[in-house]
Amino acid sequence: MPQADFTLLFDLDGTLANTDALHFRAFRALLAEHGRELDHDSYLLHVHGSSNEAIMRALLPHLPERHRELAERKEALFRATLGQVEATPGAPRLFDWAQFRGAAIAVVTNAPRANAELMLERLGLASLVDALVIGDELAYGKPHPLPYLAGLARLGGDAARACAFEDSPSGIRSAKQAGLHTFALAGTLPPAALFEAGADSAIPDFNAPELWRWLEHACERRPA
């Protein structure tokens, strides 16, 4: 793909769509099959924004030889309940703006490819995504910066003319370490936790005037 003038990089779960409740239920169902429980605080601590490898180590440490199988089981439970998801308010508007502006779009996620592709299809955004970066397909997932660096590289993007959208501390750290201005979607976590992780801004959704002012200013700046 030719180098884009501007690049937008999006996390998926909790950012482009609010799927936390579905993931929470899927993990509770999985753990119930093994006589365990999961409360919301533990979900935020061990699950939210983490890779499946890290999640399984935290939640089912006594079954290391089955972690991959159990992760696949959980994702199957999630996909079975996905239904028709709704995009975060303002997301279609932002994708339309990117298409009109000639900005490139990457989705950078720790979700498995099957989940990501299904979600983007259900959201009606799949055809507008220029690159889909799956953390588990790289040497390191979030919070390592590699996923966002890979997204920039695949699009020929420059961190100085790009921004990221995240909703979890691990994702924010990943994006910031890749040199990206990072907007945090304040939903599951309070803004204070997002700023503590390094977010530059906390917005309720993609209609936030703060975001559009920043985009207008950022796109006016030309590379030196």
Side-chain angles (χ1 to χ4, degrees):
M1 176 178 178
Q3 183 170 354
D5 178 60
F6 202 82
T7 308
L8 304 176
L9 302 102
F10 297 86
D11 173 51
L12 184 51
D13 285 291
T15 299
L16 284 176
N18 185 2
T19 53
D20 278 333
L22 296 179
H23 283 290
F24 182 43
R25 284 200 288 270
F27 274 111
R28 282 176 59 87
L30 176 71
L31 291 177
E33 293 175 355
H34 297 273
R36 299 201 167 197
E37 296 183 353
L38 179 68
D39 60 32
H40 195 256
D41 287 343
S42 296
Y43 173 81
L44 292 178
L45 178 64
H46 296 300
V47 176
H48 186 62
S50 297
S51 67
N52 270 339
E53 181 181 0
I55 293 167
M56 292 303 157
R57 284 200 307 267
L59 299 183
L60 295 165
H62 61 299
L63 297 171
E65 71 286 352
R66 296 187 60 195
H67 281 177
R68 181 177 294 275
E69 168 203 341
L70 294 170
E72 291 174 354
R73 166 67 176 157
K74 177 265 162 182
E75 300 304 350
L77 289 168
F78 168 77
R79 290 192 296 273
T81 60
L82 185 58
Q84 191 65 42
V85 291
E86 291 188 9
T88 299
R93 173 190 176 194
L94 184 52
F95 273 61
D96 287 344
W97 173 89
Q99 190 172 35
F100 175 79
R101 183 65 177 69
I105 291 177
V107 169
V108 181
T109 177
N110 275 344
R113 182 168 291 275
N115 287 28
E117 291 178 345
L118 180 60
M119 282 185 60
L120 290 171
E121 178 188 339
R122 296 280 174 87
L123 290 168
L125 300 174
S127 64
L128 302 177
V129 174
D130 300 299
L132 176 57
V133 180
I134 304 298
D136 282 350
E137 296 175 0
L138 302 173
Y140 302 99
K142 303 173 189 178
H144 196 279
L146 180 59
Y148 278 102
L149 292 173
L152 284 171
R154 292 180 192 180
L155 297 177
D158 179 350
R161 291 190 61 75
C163 64
F165 300 93
E166 272 288 351
D167 76 310
S168 71
S170 64
I172 292 167
R173 288 192 290 271
S174 174
K176 289 302 297 179
Q177 290 180 75
L180 292 161
H181 184 97
T182 303
F183 289 93
L185 276 293
T188 302
L189 297 176
L194 304 172
F195 284 121
E196 184 178 354
D200 294 288
S201 303
I203 57 177
D205 56 42
F206 297 109
N207 286 320
E210 177 185 355
L211 165 61
W212 290 94
R213 286 194 297 268
W214 186 90
L215 286 172
E216 181 179 359
H217 178 68
C219 288
E220 284 177 353
R221 299 195 307 265
R222 310 306 303 175

